[in-house]
Amino acid sequence: MRDKLVRLNPNHWLIVDVPQWDVRLSIDLLARTRGALYDWRGALATCLPGSPDSRRWFCNEWVGEPYVRAPATFGPHHFAAICLSLGRDVTAEFFAAR
């Protein structure tokens, strides 16, 4: 398994609270896919010709799979718009608490 420590920069991240999404479903998905490799091909396929690798996962899939139909088909900006339409931006609150 590969882990990576990421330092979040508030200028590069958008944190959205979507209350109707149950965090337990997300935790279960992460547990089921533990050790899966990152799907660079799938991430690039949201904006370039290509297709995702069904054995790998990328951000939109890990975040959206329990809640959104076909999250791998959305680019990051589309996925952010979906999240914001369902929830609210809590980026400032998130980073203020750290």
Side-chain angles (χ1 to χ4, degrees):
M1 180 171 82
R2 178 178 172 256
D3 290 334
K4 181 178 180 180
L5 177 62
V6 177
R7 295 185 199 274
L8 299 180
N9 177 332
N11 296 318
H12 301 143
W13 289 89
L14 172 67
I15 313 297
V16 180
D17 178 26
V18 183
Q20 60 269 41
W21 290 3
D22 183 347
V23 71
R24 291 172 297 187
L25 296 175
S26 298
I27 292 168
D28 290 346
L29 175 64
L30 289 170
R32 286 194 316 273
T33 60
R34 184 179 196 121
L37 298 175
Y38 191 81
D39 187 9
W40 286 105
R41 191 174 80 190
L44 291 172
T46 65
C47 58
L48 298 171
S51 61
D53 182 335
S54 62
R55 296 163 298 164
R56 296 176 177 228
W57 293 73
F58 70 98
C59 312
N60 290 5
E61 294 174 295
W62 268 310
V63 173
E65 183 66 29
Y67 317 104
V68 176
R69 184 171 293 156
T73 63
F74 299 103
H77 57 292
H78 291 122
F79 195 73
I82 290 168
C83 294
L84 285 169
S85 71
L86 298 170
R88 69 183 186 88
D89 180 351
V90 295
T91 307
E93 297 165 41
F94 177 86
F95 285 102
R98 305 231 158 331

